[in-house]
């Protein structure tokens, strides 16, 4: 086969990330072609909406509503899927693969939920599937795990991988702002998912964590096994108590090799204020990767938005294009050689913050601490706020390392005490034992 002298790209989806990608491909075409040694040409953009002005000028006829103009065009080498969601994105990707095209996507929901099937199809067909933009926007974290740290056994991957949730928690912390107003602002800025519950309930982070864990530990994509808890129950009161205890609250995604298995969990987490990750604010993301040889490494940047995510999309295009032109095409990587088990949330160990609503009356604290003690939970500190004799006041307890199974049993027993006015609320705490 004669060597190719340039690469043609078709983009499906001209929304936020589509617009960023198209802008970069057109505005940075010169620098891209100098770096690669050949041109990468945007040939077609597909979207149902042909009218909206996206602030980018396309040559006449480049924008079309017909997806076949990309999927069935033999001159298009790389198909970029940016419509999001499961259907019809999955069908478009599978059709592109069947037609021998390489695929680049930012679709974390699709990859996390159906990725095993899609990667198997790509591998059978011998085409590549670029997924850099699916996790942490502009941060090249996929390349880090796959290439930069390829020499390591990965011990843990964890971080802040949802910009919207981080933006909301930051504003709530800095301004004492209401959850719902901050969410509206994040949506207006184009950070939030089409369904913002994905952001605030931790689903988007869980999708991304499933992808990271797959690459880091060689396990099949296991989204359904990720323990997932969002930020909707976090109150300004918890943020204030956390501050008094020297912590910040962040939505953390954690994949950790422990006890012969892997922990996969997304939940609000209290982190010591002086740790670097506690200073990651607003829409920014940060991911730690710990390898046996390299130790702990940290990657920081914009995790959402048109241009940062477009940057990751174009990086994948460039990578695949190099492979095609060099004639050194690699098939899509396989997931799932490892038989590591995903551990149940009940089996993990952590430190915990509890908030109880307990009657302000002698002996209440000893009842609560008695139950914690009987369940092998050791108390590190206690705060009681206010004085309303005979009424309910918030009581906060910080524990040493404890097993989640014991914590859950203790919470049930404490909730059934007559002196407790409301259900107990707990947040897992990361950091070193004080
Ligand atoms: N909704 C996502 C976020 C967009 O807020 O991080 C990037 O995946």
């Amino acid at each position: 086969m004669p060597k190719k002298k340039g690469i043609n790209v078709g983009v499906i989806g001209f929304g936020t990330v589509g617009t960023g990608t198209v802008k970069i491909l057109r505005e940075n075409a010169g620098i891209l072609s100098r770096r690669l040694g050949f041109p990468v040409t945007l040939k077609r953009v597909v979207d149902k909406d042909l009218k909206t002005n996206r602030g980018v000028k396309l040559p006449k006829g480049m924008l079309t509503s017909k997806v076949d103009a990309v999927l069935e065009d033999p001159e298009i080498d790389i198909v970029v899927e940016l419509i999001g969601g499961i259907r019809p994105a999955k069908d478009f990707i599978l059709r592109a693969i069947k037609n021998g095209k390489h695929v680049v996507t930012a679709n974390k929901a699709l990859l996390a939920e159906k990725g095993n099937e899609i990667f198997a199809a790509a591998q059978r067909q011998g085409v590549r599937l670029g997924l850099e933009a699916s996790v942490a926007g502009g941060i090249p974290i996929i390349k880090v795990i796959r290439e930069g740290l390829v020499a390591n056994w990965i011990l843990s991957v964890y971080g802040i991988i949802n910009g919207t949730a981080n933006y909301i928690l930051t504003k709530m912390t800095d301004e004492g702002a209401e959850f719902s107003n901050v969410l509206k602002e994040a949506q207006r800025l184009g950070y939030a998912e089409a369904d913002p519950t994905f952001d605030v309930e931790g689903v988007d982070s869980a999708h991304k964590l499933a992808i990271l864990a797959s690459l880091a530990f060689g396990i099949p994509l296991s989204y359904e096994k990720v323990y997932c808890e969002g930020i909707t129950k976090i109150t300004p009161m918890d943020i204030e108590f956390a501050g008094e205890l020297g912590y910040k609250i962040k939505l953390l995604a954690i994949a950790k090799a422990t006890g012969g298995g892997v922990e996969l969990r997304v939940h609000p987490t209290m982190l010591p204020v002086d740790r670097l990750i506690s200073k990651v604010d607003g829409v920014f993301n940060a991911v730690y990767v710990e390898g046996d040889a390299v130790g702990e490494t940290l990657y920081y940047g914009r995790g959402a938005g048109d241009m940062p995510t477009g940057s990751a999309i174009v990086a994948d295009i460039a990578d695949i294009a190099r492979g095609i032109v060099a004639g050194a095409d690699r098939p899509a990587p396989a997931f799932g050689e490892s038989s590591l088990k995903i551990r149940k949330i009940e089996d993990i160990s952590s430190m915990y913050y509890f908030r109880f609503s307990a009657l302000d009356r002698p002996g209440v604290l000893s009842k609560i601490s008695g139950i914690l003690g009987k369940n092998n939970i050791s108390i590190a500190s206690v705060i009681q706020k206010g004085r309303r004799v005979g009424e309910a006041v918030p009581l906060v307890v910080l524990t040493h390392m404890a097993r989640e199974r014991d914590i859950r049993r203790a919470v049930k027993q404490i909730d059934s005490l007559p002196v407790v006015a409301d259900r107990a609320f707990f947040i897992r705490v990361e950091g070193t034992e004080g």
Side-chain angles (χ1 to χ4, degrees):
M1 211 162 76
K3 267 198 171 180
K4 285 187 75 96
K5 298 209 166 49
I7 293 298
N8 291 319
V9 176
V11 171
I12 305 174
F14 202 16
T16 305
V17 180
T19 303
T21 300
V22 166
K23 269 189 197 156
I24 297 170
L25 280 175
R26 292 186 61 77
E27 289 166 14
N28 293 1
I31 184 79
L32 256 180
S33 109
R34 279 199 294 286
R35 284 180 180 154
L36 294 172
F38 56 84
V40 170
T41 310
L42 177 63
K43 195 161 180 237
R44 283 249 183 279
V45 181
V46 182
D47 201 283
K48 280 192 278 193
D49 172 5
L50 302 177
K51 296 241 152 58
T52 300
N53 178 4
R54 281 102 165 167
V56 50
K57 254 198 149 1
L58 294 181
K60 212 170 169 338
M62 185 182 277
L63 180 62
T64 168
S65 60
K66 298 195 172 51
V67 76
D68 283 3
V70 163
L71 296 179
E72 301 298 333
D73 180 347
E75 286 185 358
I76 288 185
D77 307 285
I78 303 175
V79 172
V80 182
E81 180 277 308
L82 296 173
I83 55 175
I86 307 293
R87 287 237 132 82
K90 183 180 166 200
D91 308 320
F92 292 165
I93 288 180
L94 289 177
R95 267 181 66 199
I97 291 172
K98 194 162 149 264
N99 289 344
K101 300 184 187 311
H102 304 270
V103 173
V104 174
T105 180
N107 195 333
K108 54 259 158 140
L110 177 62
L111 290 171
E113 293 181 31
K114 311 282 175 198
N116 294 319
E117 179 189 343
I118 293 171
F119 273 100
Q123 194 145 38
R124 274 197 304 274
Q125 194 68 33
V127 297
R128 285 184 62 192
L129 204 149
L131 68 161
E132 186 63 71
S134 66
V135 181
I139 308 174
I141 193 67
I142 305 284
K143 222 175 177 51
V144 162
I145 296 175
R146 259 193 192 158
E147 297 179 26
L149 301 183
V150 70
N152 290 256
W153 283 102
I154 303 296
L155 308 175
S156 66
V157 182
Y158 67 97
I160 297 169
I161 49 177
N162 184 273
T164 302
N166 201 41
Y167 181 83
I168 293 173
L169 287 173
T170 303
K171 283 250 171 182
M172 286 176 74
T173 306
D174 292 350
E175 300 168 14
E178 281 292 323
F179 174 84
S180 53
N181 292 343
V182 189
L183 173 60
K184 274 189 212 122
E185 171 99 12
Q187 284 176 288
R188 194 179 55 74
L189 292 168
Y191 302 146
E193 295 302 298
D195 177 353
T197 58
F198 274 36
D199 296 297
V200 297
E201 296 293 1
V203 176
D204 178 71
S205 293
H207 283 146
K208 293 166 178 167
L209 186 69
I211 295 169
L212 288 178
S214 239
L215 294 165
F217 299 108
I219 51 177
L221 287 151
S222 312
Y223 163 69
E224 67 294 340
K225 293 188 184 145
V226 179
Y227 174 78
C228 181
E229 208 182 285
I231 59 166
T232 54
K233 294 197 185 90
I234 302 290
T235 64
M237 189 166 42
D238 295 309
I239 292 177
E240 207 182 307
F241 279 132
E244 278 182 41
L245 291 161
Y247 291 91
K248 274 218 183 156
I249 302 177
K250 297 284 184 192
L251 181 65
L252 218 64
I254 302 170
K256 233 192 241 184
T258 61
V262 181
E263 296 179 20
L264 291 182
R265 47 191 170 104
V266 171
H267 48 72
T269 307
M270 279 176 35
L271 295 153
V273 273
D274 55 1
R275 286 198 51 186
L276 272 178
I277 195 161
S278 302
K279 301 180 196 341
V280 175
D281 284 333
V283 74
F284 280 88
N285 283 197
V287 186
Y288 282 87
V289 186
E290 193 189 355
D292 65 340
V294 74
E296 194 167 70
T297 59
L298 168 64
Y299 310 88
Y300 170 82
R302 288 181 194 277
D306 54 352
M307 300 300 273
T309 313
S311 161
I313 292 283
V314 177
D316 269 347
I317 293 174
D319 211 17
I320 294 174
R322 269 197 198 103
I324 301 173
V325 169
D329 250 9
R330 285 176 283 158
F335 287 122
E337 310 101 51
S338 158
S339 58
L340 279 174
K341 288 261 176 309
I342 313 301
R343 299 187 70 195
K344 289 204 176 75
I345 189 71
E346 290 80 4
D347 294 334
I348 71 144
S349 291
S350 176
M351 295 178 289
Y352 292 82
Y353 155 101
F354 280 103
R355 177 169 46 77
F356 306 103
S357 178
L359 295 188
D360 188 6
R361 173 190 297 172
V364 171
L365 184 58
S366 77
K367 280 207 175 79
I368 292 177
S369 62
I371 292 180
L372 293 177
K374 268 197 216 109
N375 284 291
N376 315 309
I377 302 161
S378 165
I379 295 174
S381 52
V382 178
I383 308 179
Q384 189 204 302
K385 268 286 157 81
R387 180 88 234 267
R388 288 199 297 271
V389 181
E391 286 179 42
V393 286
L395 181 72
V396 165
V397 172
L398 206 61
T399 76
H400 290 296
M401 282 303 265
R403 284 219 341 215
E404 177 111 0
R405 189 181 305 285
D406 294 333
I407 293 286
R408 291 177 178 230
R409 194 181 322 106
V411 165
K412 260 200 195 135
Q413 292 167 7
I414 291 169
D415 280 347
S416 67
L417 288 176
V419 290
V420 166
D422 208 353
R423 293 172 72 101
F425 176 63
F426 68 83
I427 302 176
R428 296 168 193 86
V429 180
E430 287 281 319
T432 41
E433 286 261 30

